[in-house]
Amino acid sequence: MDISKEFRERGRVDILLRQIRQEATEKYIFMEVCGGHTTAIHSYGIPGLLPGSINLISGPGCPVCVTSESFLDHAIALSAMPGILVATFGDLLRVPGGGTSLEKEKAAGASIIVVYSINEALDLAAKNKDKMVVFLAIGFETTAPGTAAGVLDAGKRGLANFFILSAHKIMPPAMRAVVEGGTNVNGFICPGHVSAITGSGIYGFLPDDFGIGCVISGFEPVDILQSVLMLIRQVNRKDPGVEVQYTRAVRPEGNPKAMNIMKQVFKVSDQWWRGFGTIPGSGLQLKPEYEKSDAGKVFPAPPQRQPVESLCMCGSILRGTHTPADCPLFGTGCTPADPAGACMVSAEGACHAFHKYTMSL
Amino acid sequence: MPEISTHILMGHGSGGEMMRNLIEELFLPHFGQPFPGGTADSAVLPVSSLLPVFTTDSYVVDPVLFPGGNIGTIAICGTVNDLAVTGANARFISAGFIIEEGLPLATLREIVVTMAEEADKAGVKIVTGDTKVVEKGKADKLFINTTGIGYMEERHFHIHRAGNAGPGDLIIINGYIGDHSIAVLSARESLMLTTPAISDCSSLGGMIGEVLDNSDGIHWMRDVTRGGLASVACELAASKDYGVKLLEPFIPVRDPVRSACEMLGYDPLYLANEGKVIMVVAREEADKVLGIMKNHPLGTRAAIIGELTGLHPGTVVLQTAIGGSRILQPLAGEQLPRIC
């Protein structure tokens, strides 16, 4: 059986859509907090298939979008320092900040190399012993264990010239911030890959403290529609809880091995999120025993800039209080080719997905 | 005659004896004597009563060798295809080489041999050329520019301007999309694909010629290269009084390409190809054209993948596999650099 085909099959989709239409008797606002879901929802054209009473909105689930300008400033400053190679995932390249971007600096000659995994960055360090390689570590619980394993691997391989600059974040505090900031969301489509690492327990506070239901979803159309149906039923029953739709990947206890390696290497810290400001306990920084690999500690950050005034509404869009179409820059002053805000840059960003898949439909 | 060294040296671009040796020992034996003879700096070409069509393209693919072809193959195919989709029959090609000092001569030989074979297959003659060598680090191994001349019957003049295209026309592609990009990428990044992707690079002149000889229903053609199917469809719809509707379930994508895309976050609709053409065809001619393509080795997986519609002028809409709709925008920025 080809799982991806089964979960994209038109017949199954039609059955779910019929069921959703039948049971959707109220107004529903469901927020997805994973960029993978944002992309899947819009690339399959799911909003147009749902009844008008169901509104799917995007939250702070795209790691590129929530990355701070000061992190980018730091990365750009590093790339200009002699003897340093900055290794980054490609989707950070075009995020604008301070009138420039990693892409523009790269074109101007800065030492920036695009990698597909931390392992490539480790290999770069092994091959370039005369250089210091700094890996830009971004992402949620999904990618943090990989970074942790990379840091441990650097130690084992004796790569004293390997560093990470961490903007790693964890998801539950941001979901709490969305809710505490005031929201009319009545259900969360919870991230599948984060949950495969953490397990389902991390979302318990949402139904318990706020009465908001959660369904951990897979990424295929059938997954997402089934999750929507499960959330509708939770709302209709007035019985919010945490359910797992993505049972083929997510176990309630998660992946203890990945969690352990993450806990071994990282400590929880406060972290700045675009759209939210500093969220207590929402970031991951290297523990003191790994600080020799911490580019944030070894290479001091440049002085803080005054933030530039902009009409960009990324912040409100990431909080779910506005949609991309509400932004005065959307589609004119901000496009994927010339982005003004981070949400337009990443393929997983809400503005990018809206612009790419639904504009003018 | 002195043996030429195992690697390209600066002297091979000097204009002196080393260069002459390179030309006489490598280029001329494979490309043949410049038409109609001699080694002058220019080729003298025959006149024709048909419309001359002229095109040029530069090739910078990294790496220069990849599964299914090399920079030389696409330097021929790409230029032949640019002429073919205009409705012309490609005849003559020039080839300019910018070589980085230190390129193994065996690599250059392999590329030159395949270029000659591809030109032969495509029925074009390489009639003039140029060789420059730059210091190590000033170019990346090898860049090639080819310029092509072909001849077109006047009755095909409308094709490149989409003069006869309109709502109701069907859109046909000659096979799987994305193979070239993933093949190049896998050669570049050592991706571990369980089923390796092989570039689709091929000269489409023969297949397109058969179609044009047998049908007057071809209203527009474009080779689907950089920017992929989505960008070509956007070009077709741009500032027209019709839109383009594509049907995702009918667009041929191989499973390994789809998997690689999902792993890397690429959309197959934006991947470059080097042997794909889309044709806008009068609805009543579509079955015949599809049949001709399917009977040709380069079109066995040809499919009708969409239509022109009056519903959303200027816009490309994709009907997704689950029945939803989304628009397709031209590629913003670069999805994969140096793919051709």
Side-chain angles (χ1 to χ4, degrees), chain B:
Chain B
M1 195 166 288
E3 180 60 31
I4 45 183
S5 81
T6 55
H7 289 77
I8 289 293
L9 307 176
M10 289 303 294
H12 286 122
S14 65
E17 190 180 342
M18 283 176 75
M19 190 171 108
R20 207 182 62 238
N21 287 343
L22 183 71
I23 291 172
E24 287 179 357
E25 292 190 15
L26 181 60
F27 291 108
L28 288 185
H30 295 290
F31 291 171
Q33 292 295 320
F35 184 84
T39 53
D41 280 341
S42 308
V44 181
L45 305 179
V47 292
S48 166
S49 57
L50 303 172
L51 292 169
V53 180
F54 185 50
T55 188
T56 189
D57 213 336
S58 297
Y59 300 86
V60 297
V61 62
D62 168 39
V64 291
L65 310 176
F66 49 82
N70 62 48
I71 189 170
T73 343
I74 56 172
I76 299 296
C77 297
T79 295
V80 166
N81 293 346
D82 280 347
L83 292 169
V85 296
T86 312
N89 180 18
R91 297 284 306 280
F92 306 107
I93 276 191
S94 74
F97 292 76
I98 296 171
I99 311 173
E100 184 190 19
E101 175 188 20
L103 179 75
L105 203 71
T107 305
L108 183 60
R109 189 180 303 279
E110 180 178 345
I111 290 164
V112 166
V113 168
T114 41
M115 273 180 91
E117 286 169 359
E118 191 59 41
D120 234 25
K121 255 196 285 182
V124 291
K125 280 193 160 46
I126 300 168
V127 289
T128 183
D130 180 51
T131 309
K132 296 282 190 305
V133 180
V134 296
E135 299 97 318
K136 202 159 187 55
K138 296 290 166 72
D140 188 6
K141 296 182 189 68
L142 176 63
F143 299 151
I144 301 177
N145 171 277
T146 52
T147 294
I149 292 180
Y151 297 105
M152 177 172 76
E153 294 177 44
E154 199 145 356
R155 65 189 177 102
H156 296 141
F157 186 73
H158 64 92
I159 293 175
H160 75 284
R161 305 200 302 187
N164 296 347
D169 287 354
L170 296 179
I171 299 169
I172 300 180
I173 192 161
N174 63 317
Y176 293 107
I177 58 168
D179 293 2
H180 175 71
S181 277
I182 299 301
V184 170
L185 189 68
S186 62
R188 192 189 300 170
E189 310 290 351
S190 312
L191 295 183
M192 298 301 201
L193 302 180
T194 42
T195 318
I198 295 172
S199 170
D200 62 345
C201 62
S202 38
S203 300
L204 297 166
M207 185 188 71
I208 290 173
E210 271 184 45
V211 169
L212 290 180
D213 286 346
N214 291 289
S215 172
D216 286 327
I218 307 307
H219 290 170
W220 190 75
M221 283 187 281
R222 189 66 87 232
D223 47 338
V224 188
T225 55
R226 279 176 303 169
L229 178 59
S231 301
V232 173
C234 290
E235 190 189 333
L236 170 60
S239 40
K240 301 284 189 1
D241 53 6
Y242 48 78
V244 173
K245 180 178 170 188
L246 294 178
L247 305 168
E248 190 171 41
F250 297 99
I251 299 172
V253 184
R254 284 181 214 275
D255 284 342
V257 169
R258 199 183 292 284
S259 308
C261 281
E262 285 180 9
M263 189 172 72
L264 299 166
Y266 296 129
D267 184 339
L269 295 173
Y270 291 90
L271 291 183
N273 309 274
E274 284 296 336
K276 290 295 159 313
V277 57
I278 68 168
M279 294 186 184
V280 171
V281 183
R283 186 170 282 263
E284 63 279 9
E285 287 285 296
D287 280 341
K288 184 165 91 181
V289 170
L290 188 66
I292 297 168
M293 284 168 112
K294 279 175 168 291
N295 276 328
H296 192 280
L298 297 178
T300 52
R301 281 305 313 263
I304 295 174
I305 57 167
E307 61 179 345
L308 302 189
T309 165
L311 289 181
H312 38 75
T315 304
V316 183
V317 173
L318 178 79
Q319 195 174 88
T320 69
I322 63 163
S325 291
R326 64 166 159 116
I327 60 160
L328 293 179
Q329 303 266 14
L331 182 61
E334 190 64 273
Q335 179 157 259
L336 280 170
R338 292 187 55 196
I339 208 75
C340 61

Side-chain angles (χ1 to χ4, degrees), chain A residues 168-179:
Chain A
H168 276 305
K169 296 177 175 60
I170 53 178
M171 188 45 86
M175 295 170 80
R176 179 181 286 275
V178 166
V179 178

